[in-house]
Amino acid sequence: MAENYFIEDCEKLETLAPITGAPIERHVFVCTGKSCSAVESAEVKSAFERELISRKLLFGKKKKGKNPAGSIVLTECGSVGFCAVGAAVMVYPDGIWYAQVRPGDVAEIVEEHLLNGRVVERLALLKIPSQGKIPASNADQQQWEA
Amino acid sequence: MAENYFIEDCEKLETLAPITGAPIERHVFVCTGKSCSAVESAEVKSAFERELISRKLLFGKKKKGKNPAGSIVLTECGSVGFCAVGAAVMVYPDGIWYAQVRPGDVAEIVEEHLLNGRVVERLALLKIPSQGKIPASNADQQQWEA
């Protein structure tokens, strides 16, 4: 692709990026930076993949076992500043940052948050936009509303 | 860190993850997957870093030239399905996915979207949550409201 080549045709763009035609509801990021990797973030991401595929929620190509009409995108990402409290998992557009996530926590996040819209409070540490204050451990549900 | 070690103390968590005390407004992801890298996504990320640092918006450590009270987090990420229309840049919690972003577009995204809340429509290709339809090229502003 030449550097200045710019596609304006919407149908062409949809063909090139089928995700634009999918009913995406949420985007889940799993940090695979150095510190998070040291506490099993690759396994956390694999657990999300397995759990979301088994529920037909994971957007992606059919030949990879995913669903072209899935509602969740799963992506790995670099360090987000949760290095000492990883593995970090972010759920957008909700803006919920989970800390200290282990593979065994993934089914609960999928079931509670991604399916039922209820934030898993025991793991949620930050909500963006943030007022710059950490919530008390007994933060009310409104704070974490998905 | 032992696998089952779990920190519950909020003050300790805030010390370990200073980002929880910062007034974060937006999280910008730049895809550095293979296809996006081939169209200068590393340079796009560097351009965001320069632009955000010069405006004191980029959250991070002071010794790295960033701002511990910055309002923007910048993170690289893996492929998101915009491989043929990269470089992909996502702005959350707004849920705006920009396509075909070049380093020369970054100042406009920072000025218009991150500072003034106006989506750069000529580059915006997807808004999450999505209804599964690509917007017409003359999509009204409401579609892209940040």
Side-chain angles (χ1 to χ4, degrees):
Chain A
M1 187 187 290
E3 195 180 333
N4 292 318
Y5 185 67
F6 190 87
I7 306 159
E8 294 205 37
D9 182 280
C10 280
E11 280 185 33
K12 187 168 183 184
L13 285 167
E14 187 167 19
T15 307
L16 288 169
I19 193 170
T20 56
I24 305 295
E25 288 175 14
R26 289 191 172 94
H27 194 163
V28 177
F29 293 90
V30 179
C31 177
T32 52
K34 197 174 167 184
S35 303
C36 284
S37 294
V39 287
E40 299 188 284
S41 69
E43 289 77 5
V44 168
K45 191 184 170 217
S46 299
F48 269 109
E49 194 162 302
R50 278 195 308 274
E51 196 71 34
L52 292 170
I53 283 178
S54 78
R55 295 166 183 266
K56 301 191 192 309
L57 291 172
L58 188 60
F59 171 82
K61 291 178 182 166
K62 207 170 178 178
K63 67 180 176 186
K64 292 187 178 178
K66 301 175 186 177
N67 183 356
S71 62
I72 309 280
V73 188
L74 175 66
T75 307
E76 62 185 42
C77 72
S79 176
V80 294
F82 264 21
C83 305
V85 293
V89 171
M90 280 69 61
V91 179
Y92 283 110
D94 313 60
I96 301 295
W97 287 33
Y98 290 112
Q100 306 183 88
V101 178
R102 298 292 172 269
D105 298 317
V106 170
E108 183 181 354
I109 294 173
V110 170
E111 174 75 24
E112 285 296 298
H113 188 160
L114 304 184
L115 275 173
N116 294 312
R118 292 189 291 257
V119 173
V120 179
E121 293 183 49
R122 69 182 179 86
L123 297 171
L125 185 56
L126 180 62
K127 176 162 180 168
I128 288 176
S130 165
Q131 298 307 308
K133 299 249 181 231
I134 196 169
S137 58
N138 59 350
D140 61 44
Q141 182 61 30
Q142 199 176 4
Q143 162 82 31
W144 295 118
E145 208 171 315
Chain B
M1 188 189 288
E3 195 180 335
N4 292 318
Y5 185 68
F6 190 86
I7 306 159
E8 295 204 37
D9 182 281
C10 281
E11 278 184 34
K12 187 167 183 183
L13 285 166
E14 187 168 16
T15 306
L16 289 169
I19 194 169
T20 56
I24 305 297
E25 288 175 12
R26 289 189 171 96
H27 194 164
V28 177
F29 292 91
V30 178
C31 177
T32 51
K34 198 173 166 182
S35 303
C36 284
S37 294
V39 288
E40 299 189 284
S41 69
E43 289 77 5
V44 168
K45 191 186 170 216
S46 298
F48 268 108
E49 195 162 301
R50 277 195 309 274
E51 197 71 36
L52 292 171
I53 283 177
S54 79
R55 294 167 183 265
K56 302 191 191 309
L57 291 171
L58 188 59
F59 171 82
K61 291 179 181 165
K62 207 167 179 180
K63 67 180 178 188
K64 292 188 177 177
K66 301 176 185 176
N67 182 357
S71 61
I72 309 282
V73 188
L74 175 66
T75 307
E76 62 185 44
C77 72
S79 176
V80 294
F82 265 23
C83 306
V85 293
V89 171
M90 281 70 60
V91 179
Y92 283 110
D94 312 60
I96 300 295
W97 287 33
Y98 289 112
Q100 305 183 89
V101 178
R102 297 294 172 268
D105 298 317
V106 169
E108 183 181 354
I109 294 172
V110 170
E111 175 74 25
E112 285 297 299
H113 188 160
L114 304 184
L115 275 173
N116 294 311
R118 292 188 292 257
V119 173
V120 179
E121 293 184 46
R122 67 182 179 85
L123 297 170
L125 185 56
L126 180 61
K127 176 162 180 169
I128 287 174
S130 166
Q131 298 307 309
K133 300 245 181 234
I134 196 170
S137 58
N138 60 351
D140 60 46
Q141 182 61 29
Q142 199 178 6
Q143 162 82 31
W144 296 119
E145 207 170 315

